[in-house]
Amino acid sequence: DTAGQERYRTITKAYYKGADGILVVFDLTDKESFLNVDGWLKEIEKHCGTDVSVIVMANKSDVGEDKTNNKTIMENNNMMMKTKGEIEVTDEDIAAFEQTHNLKVLKTSAKSGKGVDEAFLEMTKALIKKQNSMSQEIARNNNRPVNWEDTKSLVRDLIIKRMDKMVHRADIAVEDTKN
């Protein structure tokens, strides 16, 4: 997680290597973060091709439900006023994005946890489906039936291996930021 910050651009390339799935998250209260998703998708395609599962998450879906979010804040040096907690990305924006990119956008809230489990479940399903397709292809090439127990074991091992890599990369990123 680099929060899209430019200063982490050099280390994000390392994250793409060997990725099976990528979660791209934008902020529903920040239209610019939504507009940046196109650039992130291009980066993903550049470094991973089209063989990676991508899920786009629209965070802060809880905004508007809690009136305490509506505080006035000062932004930038221009003293531009913005009301924190206003949705800037419309359902129409999201529908157009989904149609253009053939990707589903899942609304989530990191604050309440709403939709987060579903997003990770969708990613897990996509990875299992991809692994099953690969297992079937291997079985066809070897002229033998698919062994679903082997497939489940491969997927479990794959998920564990990827989680270990993510933790390792996060540790490296934390160390880099300390220096």
Side-chain angles (χ1 to χ4, degrees):
D1 176 17
T2 63
Q5 296 178 32
E6 277 301 315
R7 65 183 176 159
Y8 296 114
R9 183 69 79 186
T10 56
I11 65 166
T12 56
K13 291 175 182 158
Y15 283 98
Y16 295 118
K17 188 176 181 177
D20 292 309
I22 297 176
L23 300 171
V24 178
V25 183
F26 69 89
D27 181 346
L28 283 166
T29 66
D30 183 356
K31 184 81 166 216
E32 187 176 342
S33 79
F34 172 69
L35 297 173
N36 287 335
V37 172
D38 281 329
W40 285 107
L41 293 176
K42 287 176 184 162
E43 283 282 311
I44 291 166
E45 189 170 347
K46 176 181 170 184
H47 295 286
C48 301
T50 56
D51 193 37
V52 65
S53 298
V54 177
I55 291 184
V56 180
M57 298 166 62
N59 193 34
K60 296 191 182 174
S61 66
D62 60 311
V63 167
E65 295 172 6
D66 179 6
K67 297 300 179 197
T68 61
N69 278 337
N70 297 323
K71 299 175 188 163
T72 302
I73 58 172
M74 302 297 269
E75 229 179 41
N76 301 329
N77 292 332
N78 300 333
M79 302 299 280
M80 185 171 79
M81 297 295 286
K82 177 182 173 185
T83 302
K84 183 178 178 183
E86 291 180 2
I87 298 292
E88 293 183 4
V89 181
T90 66
D91 288 339
E92 292 79 18
D93 293 332
I94 292 171
F97 175 89
E98 289 175 327
Q99 189 167 14
T100 300
H101 295 284
N102 197 27
L103 288 170
K104 185 175 180 183
V105 175
L106 302 173
K107 289 188 176 181
T108 61
S109 168
K111 182 177 179 181
S112 70
K114 178 178 148 191
V116 175
D117 287 343
E118 291 81 2
F120 280 92
L121 183 60
E122 286 298 315
M123 178 59 77
T124 303
K125 286 179 186 176
L127 294 175
I128 289 171
K129 184 177 180 182
K130 185 162 88 172
Q131 185 64 41
N132 283 344
S133 296
M134 290 170 45
S135 296
Q136 289 174 349
E137 183 66 28
I138 291 167
R140 273 194 296 278
N141 291 339
N142 293 330
N143 293 320
R144 65 176 180 82
V146 175
N147 179 330
W148 294 112
E149 287 303 315
D150 287 348
T151 300
K152 285 193 292 188
S153 177
L154 285 170
V155 170
R156 185 181 59 246
D157 292 347
L158 176 73
I159 291 170
I160 291 169
K161 186 189 303 181
R162 293 297 176 216
M163 289 175 79
D164 285 345
K165 276 187 177 180
M166 287 172 35
V167 169
H168 177 70
R169 289 178 181 156
D171 289 342
I172 291 170
V174 167
E175 287 301 316
D176 287 347
T177 60
K178 288 180 181 177
N179 298 331

